Amino acid sequence: MSASVVADPPAPAGAPPPPEQEIRALGRSLDAAFPSAARRPVHAAERALAAPLSDRPELRAALFRLVDVAPACRTPTELGEHLDAFLAELPAHERAAGLALHLTGGRGGHALSGRAAAVAVARMARFFIAGEDPAAALPALARLWSGGVASSLDLLGEATVTAAEADRYAARCDDALVQLAQAVRAWPARPLLERDFAGRLPRANLSVKVTALTPLIREAAPEIGREDAARRLRPLLRRARELGAHLHVDMESIASRELIVGLVLGLLAEDEFRDGPDAGIVLQAYLTDSDELLREVLEWAARTERATPLTVRLVKGAYWDHELVEARQRGWTPPVHATKADTDRSFERLTRALLAARPAVRVAIASHNLRSIAHAIVCNRRSGRPDTDLELQVLRGLGDDLHHALAAHRLRVRSYCPVGDLVSGMAYLVRRLLENTANDSFLAARADGADLDRLLRAP
Amino acid sequence: MSFANEPLLELRRAWVRDGLEDALRALDAELPLHVPVLIDGATRDAPDLASTDPGAPERVVAAATRATPTEVDDAVRAASAAQAAWAARRAAARAAVLVRAAGLLRERRARLAALAVRECAKPWAEADADVCEAIDFLTYYAADAVRLERGEELVQLPGERNELRYRPRGVVAVVAPWNFPFAIALGMTAAALATGNAVVLKPAEQSPGCAFELVRALHEAGVPAGALALLPGEGDVGAALVAHAGVHVIAFTGSSAVGQQILRVAADVRPGQRHLKHVVAEMGGKNCVLVDADADLDDAVPAVAYSAFGFAGQKCSACSRVLVHEAIAAPFAERLRGLLDTLVVDQATRFGVDVPPLIERSAQERIADALAQAAAVGATVARGAAGPDEGWFAAPAIVTDVAADAPLLSTELFGPVVTVEPVPDLQAALARVEALPFGLTGGIFSRNPARVRELTWKLPVGNVYVNRHITGATVARQPFGGTRLSGGGPKAGGPGYLHHFVESVVVSENTTRHGLVV
């Protein structure tokens, strides 16, 4: 079977690329605003992990497997046994390094080394995860707000395989919305974060995952999961509207994309949700067909009357390995760009197209790559709009230094803050660690002392 | 080795799904397909055996003609007569024919998948995978036979030349099952043809339509008329074929009982028979998945469910027992139970279906009886959705509190039923697997590499899967075959399989003359 032979319409266009020198100048200025003395955006806690690992695959694998299994171990002894087993698999030249990861007491037997490892993993988790539950995370969100940084709360959870789990996740989301809406009333005014071209920006902002809202994800039958997820998403949209909160639907692997897009655009077009809530969707630049999805979203926005425009969060995409492995195993053309440079170029092209599509959409640029960020800001400024018409997003932990720098430039920035316990947070944590120790990560490269001008070059 | 599997259809793309639905509509307009007895290019089409849609038993998919005892004899004689000429072609020439057949199947993929959906109620993804695997077998064995033709290296000393060659055994009787109506039937057939044998194929009575499509493609691709015969029919046709003195190899995939019967019959030397029959038998299993205390239930629960309930459990590799560490037995059971309620039990034609109807009424009755028996002696049976009224549906089931000596724990059910047993540790789980008569597939969920390594050596099964589902073996990646009463050990789709279709001949020539090496 072959793909449609009908030529695709042209990709949504934006303004031409802005001058390189402007992007680099802004990039350097942002870099100079990083808070740490060395202007290295990687926190010491995980620099120790990230820096030596990118070119040491066995050690990296051992560490990830340890982090992955840690919450499933009921006793320090159990974790210590795993640690031993992972170290035993290392090639001889890495064994000493493995022991030196500060994850083990070495001589104290399984219980002691296991306890040390558990402490280390919990410390790492705290770096990326804002708290065990929304209540625990609220003080951190309030501190962010006071410091000029908005937030989006994300509830981590185990995979949803049963209806009861989907119900529990929906209930947690509902509860989080209520708690958030209550808490934000006490927050001080931050005009920079509260208004853009389309009007008021909600302080309370929750990101939700559709694969957690239904156990019925069937990639060959998106309608099955869509109907089931809609039953749980609809009450959340109502709650968000009632509370004046923003609800953002995250994107995951491509297997659920058709479902998610159909679900979100379908529900938001219903009369009931014409006047709210504020809502958003995600566009993943690493997908080779992301232009098509953008066109679909823009066509939807053009024909759908809503009180506030849909927010489109542009990300690079966090499931690259997964998409590649799956495509290789099944003999498919990978749905993702082959190289990071291709993704980065796609990201800039989509940035320009999105910015040009305003006021039909709100735009949030989510990246830790200073080049990608600077490019977006310069494009926005050259379109004649104030900085507040563009939202920048970072991840808690990894993006902490970056959000300080952006806030210092009086840019509108939002930190994506996951909450959850260690067990449910593990998949997220491992993904972040993998990302951060990848060879092509901007932050890892910067931490390794890569030349800033080189990093700011056009992809 | 470098071998690329046929890519699966990307069912997550709407236009791919649309193409399949078109193919199904086109196929439906053609039904019933006529499946004749086909011997040496001659057909006899006098339908007296129907295959029906398991999801709509009124619908006849194939109107087949039962082979008679005389036709069994004719087919074997014709195959014997044609075999020498087929064998005389070089392996590369035979391989070219098989690769051409693979191309024809590739062109007809959508239609073939639709046929498996109709005739065997395989859900689309499984039906497509079946066609892909059939294509893989053709190309894999074609290439492997070319390599085999080169023979093996022997020690050479001055004054002699030693050669080990392989030659075909003769006539291969292929007795195929319905659950992989393309892949398994064609896998055995392709291995035999690639190595220069002639084949008489007796497909399952439930899937003659699929078999006929394969035979047609092979003939169109250039397999000589006499070298491949098709004998539709029931067990009596297979029995007559297996007993025939002119058959050299019996390639069988099916139940343990029939496999053992074939081995007994094959041991008899008939009047006029001047060879020993070789039997390649791939039989049932009672496959266990072991779940350790450190397993990630986010992975283990869906993988177990897919292994147990996918295609309604009608795979010899399917999981039918879970042995779960008592430390996580409660959350495992709760989540698997919850997942049971989410399973989509519906017609195979529906995209996204998890549990399609069973192949036939007797299967439905067998499952119901087994569950009733288990419940009568105190087991707890949890059932998922019952599915539509029309079709041979069986609600997927999880059975717990099963007595250690209950038949449910040791006999193969071939349906959407899984038992869950807590165990104190994986050593205890291993002991339970060792006590079983079967040894086909097994699974381990553990994140401790030391434990995984130990168990992969000790589990007495042919295919061990770690931290994944235990079905879906893929040609050249997971060569497939069991141990113990599950099979004789050959690995379909792997190195060594073709050896069962050839015999080796060693030629040792004196190269000295008058004391000189010439």
Side-chain angles (χ1 to χ4, degrees), chain B residues 32 44 80 86 91 216 221 239 257 262 267 315 349 369 400 438 506 512:
Chain B
R44 183 173 68 84
S80 285
W86 175 242
R216 268 184 31 194
I262 287 176
K315 304 177 191 176
T349 46
D369 288 352
T400 48
F438 295 107
V506 172
T512 62

Side-chain angles (χ1 to χ4, degrees), chain A residues 82 159 165 218 220 326 332, chain B residues 8 12 17 294 298 335 354:
Chain A
H82 282 83
E165 286 163 351
R218 301 286 184 278
E326 185 176 54
W332 297 342
Chain B
L8 299 169
R12 61 192 185 188
R17 302 196 291 271
D294 68 351
D298 282 2
R335 297 185 78 185
D354 297 305

Side-chain angles (χ1 to χ4, degrees), chain A residues 1-3 65 68-69 72 74 81-82 85-86 89 158-159 161-163 165 215-216 218-222 224 254-255 257-258 289 323 326 329-332 335, chain B residues 7-17 19-20 110 293-294 298 301-302 327-328 334-335 338-339 342-344 350-352 354 447-451 453 477:
Chain A
M1 247 171 271
S2 62
R65 293 169 75 185
D68 175 64
V69 79
R74 269 156 299 271
E81 281 168 11
H82 282 83
F86 296 135
E89 291 222 316
E158 289 175 271
V161 301
T162 71
E165 286 163 351
L216 290 174
R218 301 286 184 278
E219 64 177 358
I224 296 177
I254 195 168
R257 186 182 64 168
E258 185 182 340
D289 64 354
E323 303 290 10
E326 185 176 54
Q329 289 192 358
R330 302 198 198 178
W332 297 342
Chain B
L8 299 169
L9 286 179
E10 214 172 339
L11 295 180
R12 61 192 185 188
R13 308 281 188 191
W15 57 267
V16 175
R17 302 196 291 271
L20 289 175
D294 68 351
D298 282 2
V301 171
I328 53 163
E334 187 196 330
R335 297 185 78 185
L339 196 157
T342 72
L343 291 174
V344 180
R350 181 180 176 190
F351 285 103
D354 297 305
R447 284 184 274 189
N448 184 328
R451 198 159 305 151
R453 199 169 39 246
R477 285 162 59 194

Side-chain angles (χ1 to χ4, degrees), chain A residues 239-253:
Chain A
R239 179 73 79 192
R241 185 187 50 203
E242 165 199 325
L243 298 169
H246 176 97
L247 201 64
H248 212 103
V249 180
D250 284 349
M251 201 64 91
E252 302 166 65
S253 78

Side-chain angles (χ1 to χ4, degrees), chain B residues 9-319:
Chain B
L9 286 179
E10 214 172 339
L11 295 180
R12 61 192 185 188
R13 308 281 188 191
W15 57 267
V16 175
R17 302 196 291 271
D18 293 345
L20 289 175
E21 292 198 312
D22 290 347
L24 182 65
R25 269 190 296 275
L27 176 76
D28 281 349
E30 270 183 64
L31 298 182
L33 305 178
H34 278 243
V35 178
V37 176
L38 172 61
I39 300 166
D40 204 8
T43 59
R44 183 173 68 84
D45 181 21
D48 55 0
L49 174 70
S51 71
T52 55
D53 181 346
E58 297 296 303
R59 177 189 280 124
V60 175
V61 178
T65 303
R66 291 169 199 264
T68 63
T70 315
E71 283 168 330
V72 172
D73 186 52
D74 291 348
V76 175
R77 285 172 192 282
S80 285
Q83 189 261 328
W86 175 242
R89 300 198 199 179
R90 299 295 304 268
R94 293 191 301 265
V97 170
L98 297 188
V99 169
R100 202 147 54 232
L104 293 173
L105 297 188
R106 195 173 289 124
E107 282 169 24
R108 300 169 189 173
R109 275 182 66 168
R111 173 190 159 81
L112 294 175
L115 182 54
V117 168
R118 276 288 179 237
E119 196 168 44
C120 304
K122 291 203 101 167
W124 281 111
E126 315 258 0
D128 172 55
D130 196 1
V131 181
C132 288
E133 191 180 352
I135 294 171
D136 285 347
F137 276 131
L138 283 169
T139 54
Y140 181 85
Y141 291 143
D144 206 32
V146 171
R147 194 190 55 73
L148 200 67
E149 193 185 51
R150 293 197 286 269
E152 307 288 341
E153 297 277 312
L154 298 175
V155 171
Q156 308 291 349
L157 294 180
E160 66 179 25
R161 181 163 55 236
N162 301 318
E163 226 183 293
L164 189 156
R165 310 171 191 153
Y166 294 107
R167 64 184 176 202
R169 288 177 180 260
V171 175
V172 177
V174 173
V175 180
W178 52 266
N179 65 333
F180 287 81
F182 297 119
I184 296 182
L186 189 62
M188 296 187 287
T189 301
L193 290 173
T195 41
N197 298 278
V199 172
V200 179
L201 168 61
K202 204 300 270 184
E205 63 266 28
Q206 296 89 347
S207 59
C210 292
F212 187 43
E213 293 289 319
L214 297 175
V215 170
R216 268 184 31 194
L218 285 164
H219 282 309
E220 280 176 54
V223 173
L228 173 61
L230 177 68
L231 301 181
E234 294 185 271
D236 55 328
V237 175
L241 180 61
V242 164
H244 198 286
V247 165
H248 297 81
V249 178
I250 300 151
F252 167 77
T253 304
S255 74
S256 235
V258 174
Q260 289 175 35
Q261 175 64 17
I262 287 176
L263 281 159
R264 276 190 294 272
V265 170
D268 282 342
V269 176
R270 311 266 150 179
Q273 179 181 333
R274 289 165 307 197
H275 59 271
L276 299 173
K277 291 180 183 174
H278 183 68
V279 179
V280 181
E282 184 63 60
M283 296 172 286
K286 190 70 188 174
N287 309 308
C288 302
V289 171
L290 282 54
V291 184
D292 204 356
D294 68 351
D296 187 345
L297 295 186
D298 282 2
D299 295 336
V301 171
V304 162
Y306 176 70
S307 302
F309 304 126
F311 189 30
Q314 302 173 108
K315 304 177 191 176
C316 47
S317 56
C319 166

